[in-house]
Amino acid sequence: QVQLVESGGGLVQAGGSLRLSCAASGRTFSSFGMGWFRQAQGKEREVVAAIDRRGGLTYYKNSVKGRFTISRDNAKNTVYLQMNSLKPEDTAVYYCAAGSYSSSPNHYDYWGQGTQVTVSS
């Protein structure tokens, strides 16, 4: 089992920045690929970014490339999502997930409870 706890969400104006953190406990964090997903109201959950277990491979949704950065610190059992130049369309509940490095939510076995990100225009 892996427990995931996200933090760092909040309300920010368009153009601002937020840094999400996801702290993991339980099984060896470094054995998992990690992903950040988001779900806006009335929409399906979608991938935002993913990182492989060593941090050498990353994937980004096209609309966040150049604005968001995923990283991980295996010594701290934590994965981060730095979000810059935020837009109102980034508003959603953001979830971190642990599993196999993939852009598909079906490849992740463990999920956090989510953190709300709201970007005002």
Side-chain angles (χ1 to χ4, degrees):
Q1 286 283 358
V2 174
Q3 292 77 43
L4 302 172
V5 179
E6 302 99 335
S7 60
L11 174 63
V12 64
Q13 289 188 334
S17 298
L18 285 174
R19 188 194 197 201
L20 304 183
S21 298
C22 174
S25 61
R27 291 180 58 187
T28 306
F29 176 73
S30 60
S31 66
F32 291 99
M34 298 296 296
W36 283 100
F37 293 79
R38 67 187 181 189
Q39 187 166 17
Q41 195 167 9
K43 296 187 177 181
E44 293 187 355
R45 190 170 298 190
E46 62 179 8
V47 65
V48 176
I51 189 167
D52 76 329
R53 58 191 180 95
R54 295 181 180 178
L57 294 173
T58 56
Y59 170 89
Y60 294 95
K61 176 180 173 62
N62 281 340
S63 63
V64 308
K65 284 181 181 178
R67 299 189 298 123
F68 291 11
T69 302
I70 189 172
S71 62
R72 67 188 296 163
D73 185 339
N74 286 346
K76 294 183 178 180
N77 290 353
T78 302
V79 62
Y80 306 98
L81 185 68
Q82 178 67 45
M83 304 187 295
N84 299 328
S85 302
L86 282 161
K87 304 176 180 180
E89 52 263 42
D90 294 319
T91 295
V93 178
Y94 283 70
Y95 299 88
C96 73
S100 299
Y101 172 65
S102 172
S103 61
S104 170
N106 296 331
H107 293 162
Y108 292 84
D109 301 308
Y110 305 100
W111 293 82
Q113 82 288 350
T115 186
Q116 177 70 47
V117 171
T118 303
V119 184
S120 63
S121 57

